[in-house]
C-alpha cells in the first residue's frame, strides 16, 4: 500500500455492463459516504478516450492517462470504483472486490432496453455466460478478497448493499 495506510477502504465493483454496478454503487455511496467513481465517466471527463475502434464499436482507452489521474484519488481511500474491467488497476488500490452477476435472459432484456444490438449485445451476453469479469477479477486480485454477488432483482441489490455496508463497518473497527 505504498507504505501508507488508508483511513478508509477502497472497494472495486466489477461485472458485465448491465449487471447493476452503478445502481448498487449509488446506494452504497449514499449509505457509507464513500465516493463513487464511475470509471467509464471518468475516462470521458479526463479525456482518456482516443480513436474509435470499428470492430468493437467503442473508443480506445488511454489506460496510463486514466490510471495516472486516478492515483491520487485512490491513495486517499474511501472510493467505490465501478468498472466492467478489473485487470488494468494496481492490485494495491483495493481492499475488496465484488463481481456482480446476472442471469443471461435478464441481462439480455436489460441490455436491449439500453439499446444494445448485434455484436455488442452478443459479446456482452457471452462475457456473462463465460464469466469473464469474475475470471479477470480472480486473476488480478487475491481470491479471498474477490466476492461474487447475484444481481437479478432489486431485493438482490438491497441484500448486496447491506453486505457491503456490514463489511465497511467491520473494516472501520478493524483499522481504527
Ligand atoms: P451497470 O452499471 O452494471 O451497467 P446499471 O446499474 O446501469 O448496470 O443497471 C442496468 C439496468 O438494470 C438499469 O435499468 C437498472 C437495472 N438494474 C440494476 N440492478 C438491478 C437488479 N438487481 N434488479 C433489477 N434491475 C436492476
Amino acid at each position: 500500500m505504498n507504505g501508507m495506510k488508508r483511513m478508509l477502504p477502497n472497494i472495486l465493483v466489477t461485472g458485465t455492463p448491465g449487471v447493476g454496478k452503478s445502481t448498487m454503487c449509488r446506494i452504497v455511496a449514499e449509505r457509507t459516504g464513500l465516493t463513487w467513481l464511475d470509471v467509464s465517466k471518468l475516462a470521458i471527463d479526463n479525456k482518456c478516450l482516443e480513436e474509435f475502434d470499428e470492430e468493437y464499436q467503442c473508443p480506445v482507452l488511454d489506460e496510463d492517462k486514466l490510471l495516472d489521474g486516478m492515483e491520487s484519488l485512490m491513495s486517499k481511500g474511501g472510493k467505490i470504483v465501478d468498472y466492467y474491467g478489473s485487470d488494468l488497476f494496481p492490485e494495491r488500490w483495493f481492499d475488496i472486490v465484488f463481481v456482480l452477476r446476472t442471469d443471461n435472459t435478464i441481462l439480455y432484456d436489460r441490455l436491449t432496453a439500453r439499446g444494445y444490438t448485434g455484436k455488442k449485445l452478443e459479446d456482452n451476453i457471452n462475457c456473462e455466460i463465460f464469466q469473464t469479469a469474475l475470471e479477470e477479477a480472480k486473476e488480478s486480485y487475491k481470491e479471498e478478497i474477490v466476492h461474487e454477488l447475484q444481481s437479478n432483482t432489486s431485493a438482490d441489490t438491497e441484500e448486496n448493499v447491506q453486505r457491503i455496508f456490514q463489511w465497511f463497518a467491520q473494516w472501520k473497527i478493524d483499522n481504527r
Side-chain angles (χ1 to χ4, degrees), residues 54-113:
E54 290 303 332
E55 187 186 355
Y56 292 101
Q57 291 291 303
C58 66
V60 176
L61 176 67
D62 183 342
E63 283 190 9
D64 289 340
K65 189 175 180 186
L66 174 74
L67 298 179
D68 282 352
M70 287 179 73
E71 179 66 53
S72 66
L73 297 170
M74 297 308 295
S75 60
K76 288 188 190 77
K79 305 297 184 293
I80 182 161
V81 172
D82 161 358
Y83 198 51
Y84 64 83
S86 62
D87 64 359
L88 69 168
F89 305 119
E91 193 181 349
R92 65 186 157 77
W93 276 3
F94 297 105
D95 299 286
I96 196 160
V97 178
F98 293 101
V99 184
L100 299 191
R101 303 299 309 279
T102 300
D103 290 347
N104 308 320
T105 53
I106 298 172
L107 186 63
Y108 187 96
D109 292 343
R110 287 189 201 162
L111 291 178
T112 305

Side-chain angles (χ1 to χ4, degrees), residues 11 24 28 98 149 160-169:
I11 299 172
M24 190 189 77
V28 172
F98 293 101
L149 299 174
N160 296 337
V161 167
Q162 279 299 327
R163 180 164 168 195
I164 296 174
F165 189 86
Q166 299 281 325
W167 176 86
F168 177 67

Side-chain angles (χ1 to χ4, degrees), residues 16-23 110 114 151-154 157:
T16 311
V19 292
K21 299 181 295 298
S22 59
T23 302
R110 287 189 201 162
R114 192 183 266 188
S151 180
N152 294 315
T153 65
S154 47
T157 298

Side-chain angles (χ1 to χ4, degrees), residues 16 104 121-132:
T16 311
N104 308 320
L121 175 61
E122 202 179 299
D123 284 351
N124 281 297
I125 295 296
N126 281 334
C127 277
E128 191 57 16
I129 292 171
F130 292 111
Q131 48 188 49
T132 308

